[in-house]
Amino acid sequence: MNLQKARRIFGICTLLNYVVLIVWFAVFSLGYEWIYHLHTSWFPMSKENYDVANYLAMATYKILVLVFNLIPYIALRLTVSKEKS
């Protein structure tokens, strides 16, 4: 696999992961009551704990996307652009 393919893969992965994050936030925001009742039927918890769990999970997911997708994409982007010069 050459650097251009790796860069493209990391770019697509970054975009797809951010789409997942945006959909997650939209469902959490727009369907809050329904999702809350669905989850609390399996795992009883207060709304405050549910909010904290979702916020921490979204933050963790976002950090993992940054570290494992976006940063390698930027590094490859810089590397590939320097090789062309």
CSV table of all heavy atoms in Angstrom, one decimal, residues 4-28:
chain,number,residue,atom,x,y,z
A,4,GLN,N,-0.4,7.4,-0.6
A,4,GLN,CA,-1.7,8.0,-1.1
A,4,GLN,C,-2.9,7.2,-0.7
A,4,GLN,O,-3.9,7.7,-0.3
A,4,GLN,CB,-1.7,8.3,-2.6
A,4,GLN,CG,-0.8,9.4,-3.1
A,4,GLN,CD,0.6,9.0,-3.2
A,4,GLN,OE1,1.0,7.9,-3.1
A,4,GLN,NE2,1.5,10.0,-3.5
A,5,LYS,N,-2.8,5.9,-0.8
A,5,LYS,CA,-3.9,5.0,-0.4
A,5,LYS,C,-4.1,5.0,1.1
A,5,LYS,O,-5.3,5.1,1.5
A,5,LYS,CB,-3.6,3.5,-0.9
A,5,LYS,CG,-3.9,3.3,-2.3
A,5,LYS,CD,-3.7,1.8,-2.6
A,5,LYS,CE,-3.9,1.6,-4.1
A,5,LYS,NZ,-3.8,0.1,-4.4
A,6,ALA,N,-3.0,5.0,1.8
A,6,ALA,CA,-3.2,5.1,3.3
A,6,ALA,C,-3.8,6.4,3.7
A,6,ALA,O,-4.7,6.5,4.6
A,6,ALA,CB,-1.8,4.9,3.9
A,7,ARG,N,-3.4,7.5,3.1
A,7,ARG,CA,-3.9,8.8,3.4
A,7,ARG,C,-5.4,8.8,3.1
A,7,ARG,O,-6.2,9.3,3.8
A,7,ARG,CB,-3.2,9.9,2.6
A,7,ARG,CG,-3.7,11.3,2.9
A,7,ARG,CD,-3.0,12.3,2.1
A,7,ARG,NE,-3.7,12.2,0.8
A,7,ARG,CZ,-3.3,12.8,-0.3
A,7,ARG,NH1,-2.2,13.4,-0.4
A,7,ARG,NH2,-4.0,12.7,-1.4
A,8,ARG,N,-5.8,8.3,1.9
A,8,ARG,CA,-7.2,8.2,1.5
A,8,ARG,C,-8.0,7.4,2.5
A,8,ARG,O,-9.1,7.8,2.9
A,8,ARG,CB,-7.3,7.6,0.1
A,8,ARG,CG,-8.7,7.6,-0.4
A,8,ARG,CD,-8.7,7.2,-1.9
A,8,ARG,NE,-10.1,7.0,-2.4
A,8,ARG,CZ,-10.9,8.0,-2.8
A,8,ARG,NH1,-10.5,9.2,-2.8
A,8,ARG,NH2,-12.1,7.6,-3.3
A,9,ILE,N,-7.5,6.3,3.0
A,9,ILE,CA,-8.2,5.4,3.9
A,9,ILE,C,-8.4,6.2,5.2
A,9,ILE,O,-9.5,6.2,5.8
A,9,ILE,CB,-7.4,4.1,4.1
A,9,ILE,CG1,-7.5,3.2,2.9
A,9,ILE,CG2,-7.9,3.4,5.4
A,9,ILE,CD1,-6.7,2.0,2.9
A,10,PHE,N,-7.3,6.8,5.7
A,10,PHE,CA,-7.5,7.6,7.0
A,10,PHE,C,-8.5,8.7,6.8
A,10,PHE,O,-9.2,9.0,7.7
A,10,PHE,CB,-6.1,8.1,7.5
A,10,PHE,CG,-5.3,7.1,8.2
A,10,PHE,CD1,-4.1,6.7,7.7
A,10,PHE,CD2,-5.8,6.5,9.4
A,10,PHE,CE1,-3.3,5.7,8.4
A,10,PHE,CE2,-5.0,5.6,10.0
A,10,PHE,CZ,-3.8,5.2,9.5
A,11,GLY,N,-8.5,9.4,5.7
A,11,GLY,CA,-9.4,10.5,5.4
A,11,GLY,C,-10.9,10.0,5.4
A,11,GLY,O,-11.7,10.6,6.1
A,12,ILE,N,-11.1,8.9,4.7
A,12,ILE,CA,-12.5,8.3,4.7
A,12,ILE,C,-12.9,7.8,6.1
A,12,ILE,O,-14.0,8.0,6.5
A,12,ILE,CB,-12.5,7.2,3.7
A,12,ILE,CG1,-12.4,7.8,2.3
A,12,ILE,CG2,-13.8,6.4,3.8
A,12,ILE,CD1,-12.2,6.7,1.2
A,13,CYS,N,-12.0,7.2,6.8
A,13,CYS,CA,-12.3,6.7,8.2
A,13,CYS,C,-12.6,7.9,9.1
A,13,CYS,O,-13.6,7.8,9.9
A,13,CYS,CB,-11.1,5.9,8.8
A,13,CYS,SG,-10.9,4.3,8.1
A,14,THR,N,-11.9,9.0,8.9
A,14,THR,CA,-12.2,10.2,9.7
A,14,THR,C,-13.6,10.7,9.4
A,14,THR,O,-14.4,11.0,10.4
A,14,THR,CB,-11.1,11.3,9.5
A,14,THR,OG1,-9.8,10.7,9.8
A,14,THR,CG2,-11.4,12.5,10.3
A,15,LEU,N,-13.9,10.8,8.2
A,15,LEU,CA,-15.2,11.3,7.8
A,15,LEU,C,-16.3,10.4,8.3
A,15,LEU,O,-17.3,10.9,8.9
A,15,LEU,CB,-15.3,11.5,6.3
A,15,LEU,CG,-14.5,12.6,5.7
A,15,LEU,CD1,-14.6,12.6,4.2
A,15,LEU,CD2,-15.0,14.0,6.2
A,16,LEU,N,-16.2,9.1,8.1
A,16,LEU,CA,-17.2,8.2,8.6
A,16,LEU,C,-17.4,8.2,10.1
A,16,LEU,O,-18.5,8.2,10.6
A,16,LEU,CB,-16.9,6.8,8.1
A,16,LEU,CG,-17.0,6.5,6.6
A,16,LEU,CD1,-16.5,5.1,6.2
A,16,LEU,CD2,-18.4,6.7,6.1
A,17,ASN,N,-16.3,8.3,10.8
A,17,ASN,CA,-16.4,8.4,12.3
A,17,ASN,C,-17.0,9.6,12.7
A,17,ASN,O,-17.8,9.6,13.7
A,17,ASN,CB,-15.0,8.2,12.9
A,17,ASN,CG,-14.6,6.8,13.0
A,17,ASN,OD1,-15.3,5.9,13.6
A,17,ASN,ND2,-13.5,6.4,12.3
A,18,TYR,N,-16.8,10.8,12.0
A,18,TYR,CA,-17.5,12.0,12.4
A,18,TYR,C,-18.9,12.0,12.1
A,18,TYR,O,-19.8,12.5,12.8
A,18,TYR,CB,-16.8,13.2,11.8
A,18,TYR,CG,-15.7,13.7,12.7
A,18,TYR,CD1,-14.3,13.5,12.4
A,18,TYR,CD2,-16.0,14.3,13.9
A,18,TYR,CE1,-13.3,14.0,13.3
A,18,TYR,CE2,-15.0,14.8,14.8
A,18,TYR,CZ,-13.7,14.6,14.5
A,18,TYR,OH,-12.7,15.0,15.3
A,19,VAL,N,-19.3,11.2,11.0
A,19,VAL,CA,-20.7,11.1,10.7
A,19,VAL,C,-21.4,10.3,11.8
A,19,VAL,O,-22.5,10.6,12.2
A,19,VAL,CB,-20.9,10.4,9.3
A,19,VAL,CG1,-22.3,9.9,9.1
A,19,VAL,CG2,-20.5,11.3,8.2
A,20,VAL,N,-20.7,9.2,12.3
A,20,VAL,CA,-21.3,8.4,13.4
A,20,VAL,C,-21.4,9.3,14.6
A,20,VAL,O,-22.5,9.3,15.3
A,20,VAL,CB,-20.3,7.2,13.7
A,20,VAL,CG1,-20.7,6.6,15.0
A,20,VAL,CG2,-20.4,6.2,12.6
A,21,LEU,N,-20.5,10.1,14.9
A,21,LEU,CA,-20.6,11.0,16.0
A,21,LEU,C,-21.7,12.0,15.9
A,21,LEU,O,-22.4,12.3,16.9
A,21,LEU,CB,-19.2,11.8,16.2
A,21,LEU,CG,-19.0,12.5,17.5
A,21,LEU,CD1,-19.1,11.5,18.7
A,21,LEU,CD2,-17.6,13.1,17.5
A,22,ILE,N,-21.9,12.6,14.7
A,22,ILE,CA,-23.0,13.6,14.5
A,22,ILE,C,-24.3,12.9,14.6
A,22,ILE,O,-25.3,13.4,15.2
A,22,ILE,CB,-22.8,14.2,13.1
A,22,ILE,CG1,-21.6,15.2,13.2
A,22,ILE,CG2,-24.1,15.0,12.7
A,22,ILE,CD1,-21.1,15.7,11.8
A,23,VAL,N,-24.5,11.7,14.0
A,23,VAL,CA,-25.7,10.9,14.2
A,23,VAL,C,-26.0,10.6,15.6
A,23,VAL,O,-27.1,10.7,16.1
A,23,VAL,CB,-25.7,9.7,13.3
A,23,VAL,CG1,-26.9,8.7,13.6
A,23,VAL,CG2,-25.7,10.0,11.8
A,24,TRP,N,-25.0,10.2,16.3
A,24,TRP,CA,-25.1,9.9,17.8
A,24,TRP,C,-25.6,11.1,18.5
A,24,TRP,O,-26.6,11.0,19.3
A,24,TRP,CB,-23.8,9.4,18.3
A,24,TRP,CG,-23.7,9.0,19.7
A,24,TRP,CD1,-24.7,9.0,20.7
A,24,TRP,CD2,-22.6,8.4,20.4
A,24,TRP,NE1,-24.2,8.5,21.9
A,24,TRP,CE2,-22.9,8.2,21.7
A,24,TRP,CE3,-21.3,8.2,20.0
A,24,TRP,CZ2,-22.0,7.6,22.6
A,24,TRP,CZ3,-20.4,7.6,20.9
A,24,TRP,CH2,-20.8,7.4,22.2
A,25,PHE,N,-25.0,12.2,18.3
A,25,PHE,CA,-25.4,13.5,18.9
A,25,PHE,C,-26.9,13.8,18.5
A,25,PHE,O,-27.7,14.2,19.4
A,25,PHE,CB,-24.5,14.6,18.6
A,25,PHE,CG,-24.9,15.9,19.2
A,25,PHE,CD1,-24.7,16.1,20.6
A,25,PHE,CD2,-25.5,16.9,18.4
A,25,PHE,CE1,-25.1,17.3,21.1
A,25,PHE,CE2,-25.9,18.1,19.0
A,25,PHE,CZ,-25.7,18.3,20.4
A,26,ALA,N,-27.2,13.7,17.3
A,26,ALA,CA,-28.6,14.0,16.8
A,26,ALA,C,-29.6,13.1,17.5
A,26,ALA,O,-30.7,13.6,17.9
A,26,ALA,CB,-28.7,13.9,15.3
A,27,VAL,N,-29.3,11.8,17.5
A,27,VAL,CA,-30.3,10.9,18.1
A,27,VAL,C,-30.4,11.2,19.6
A,27,VAL,O,-31.5,11.2,20.2
A,27,VAL,CB,-29.9,9.4,17.9
A,27,VAL,CG1,-30.7,8.5,18.7
A,27,VAL,CG2,-30.0,9.1,16.4
A,28,PHE,N,-29.2,11.5,20.3
A,28,PHE,CA,-29.2,11.8,21.7
A,28,PHE,C,-30.0,13.1,22.0
A,28,PHE,O,-30.8,13.1,22.9
A,28,PHE,CB,-27.8,11.9,22.2
A,28,PHE,CG,-27.7,12.3,23.6
A,28,PHE,CD1,-27.9,11.4,24.6
A,28,PHE,CD2,-27.3,13.6,24.0
A,28,PHE,CE1,-27.8,11.7,26.0
A,28,PHE,CE2,-27.2,13.9,25.3
A,28,PHE,CZ,-27.4,13.0,26.3
